[in-house]
Amino acid sequence: MRQASGDASLLRRLNSAAILRILRGREVATLTELASAAGVSRPTAEGVVEDLLADGWVEEYAEDEHADRQRGRPARRFRFRASSAHVAGVYIDSANLQAMVCDLGGEVRAVRRQPLPADTPAPERLAALAELVRLVAADAEVAVADLAVVGVGTTGVVDGEGRVVKSIMLPGWTGLHLHAELSARIPVPVVVENDMRLAVMAEHWRGAACGCDDVVYLLTGDRIGMGLLIGGRAHRGAHAAAGEIGSQPNDNWSAFRYVADYAMAVEPGELRGSRQSAEFAISRARSGDEKARLAVRRFGRALAAGLITVVNPLDPEMVVIGGSLSAAGDLLVDPIQELLDEYCLYPPKVVASGLGGECITLGAVRLALDHAERLLFTMPD
């Protein structure tokens, strides 16, 4: 909420913040309903709403004119104006930058993606990110300085201050104080978080895990990663490293060997990475190759074997398979579900993410929206 003028009373500002929060959580409300919910008189609610209308935070809800004639003059109704402010979400991957601008209702206004070589030095990557935010804001017809918050997701262990404690994916990223560096380049509040936590936040907000408060998100693609949602909150852990897979004893995460062996047997002269091997096997499995289907099945069951060590102690409602290999759908989901059904006391439902390549960027938007709500609708102590 915009700061009131110096002569406005604290009570008036408190009432404004309270009524904005109420409208934020409802589709529409009358003055009487707002007054009751905020615990103020109707004249007080009316005065606050008039100010909010003038400031652009609230708009009057226009009902159907024919319905109005049928029942006489209705009570005025108001709703929160989602376009009153905007946030941006940014994802920093090893080969790309992606940025998205949304209004406070979460409606996407603009998206931009920029490829970057994996060996791009940190200063150049940071400069490219700041420029991408400027461009995507311009696409949404918003000045960067008018954004409420910019949320940023990155690979690596990210501490509570927005510092990248460790990263093996990006050069010059380990030890980088990402929050401070971006705050010096972007003239609005910046919040930084690990990409896997943002992915599970996005699934909880807009994806397969809507309505589920205990979720495991498994990233599959060029790497294996994990995000954990516990009690409706993304879990960070004591050292902000929750979900980091690292190396595993007994090769629990070397599931790719099944698809790699298959790809090498079919085309021994073609060198493929882990993701490319999996995509090759999945494509051939879809076309009816039984050996490819068996390789993908073994790949899925090997992933599930690693998941069991997380699923049994955490007891989640759902496991979401994300990343580029989630496009395999039931070819990958079914063998994972089968093994969890066999070995878990309470097997969670296994689903493939439908958010595609925008998942982590959407999570960065959700992070920005959460921070914006605290900034805009909460009175300072």
Side-chain angles (χ1 to χ4, degrees), residues 91 98 113 355-361:
Y91 175 36
Q98 187 179 71
R113 181 188 295 270
L355 296 181
E358 293 186 345
C359 179
I360 295 169
T361 313

Side-chain angles (χ1 to χ4, degrees), residues 157 162-167 172-178 181:
V157 178
R163 181 184 289 105
V164 182
V165 178
K166 183 177 182 179
S167 174
W173 224 241
T174 295
L176 181 72
H177 200 314
L178 188 55
E181 292 288 347

Side-chain angles (χ1 to χ4, degrees), residues 53-105:
L53 282 167
D55 289 344
W57 290 104
V58 170
E59 60 188 5
E60 191 163 355
Y61 178 71
E63 296 188 282
D64 181 74
E65 293 182 1
H66 177 72
D68 293 350
R69 290 195 296 269
Q70 292 293 318
R71 67 187 183 200
R73 183 177 179 182
R76 295 173 70 194
R77 304 174 76 192
F78 304 91
R79 62 185 175 190
F80 177 75
R81 185 168 168 263
S83 60
S84 56
H86 296 79
V87 302
V90 182
Y91 175 36
I92 307 167
D93 195 6
S94 58
N96 295 281
L97 297 175
Q98 187 179 71
M100 179 182 295
V101 170
C102 293
D103 65 20
L104 293 184

Side-chain angles (χ1 to χ4, degrees), residues 225-295:
M226 188 176 290
L228 306 175
L229 191 79
I230 300 176
R233 298 175 64 88
H235 185 59
R236 306 192 82 250
H239 303 92
E244 293 296 319
I245 301 299
S247 60
Q248 294 282 310
N250 304 318
D251 294 329
N252 278 351
W253 294 103
S254 61
F256 285 98
R257 70 179 182 272
Y258 296 105
V259 289
D261 288 348
Y262 167 79
M264 184 61 70
V266 174
E267 293 184 355
E270 188 74 25
L271 294 178
R272 293 182 174 90
S274 297
R275 176 178 58 81
Q276 289 83 6
S277 295
E279 290 173 342
F280 177 74
I282 289 165
S283 175
R284 290 181 65 94
R286 282 205 184 100
S287 67
D289 186 325
E290 285 303 317
K291 289 185 178 179
R293 182 177 289 273
L294 179 60

Side-chain angles (χ1 to χ4, degrees), residues 197-217:
R197 285 191 281 275
L198 295 184
V200 78
M201 286 170 61
E203 294 292 345
H204 185 243
W205 178 40
R206 287 268 173 94
C210 283
C212 297
D213 285 342
D214 295 277
V215 179
V216 172
Y217 174 91

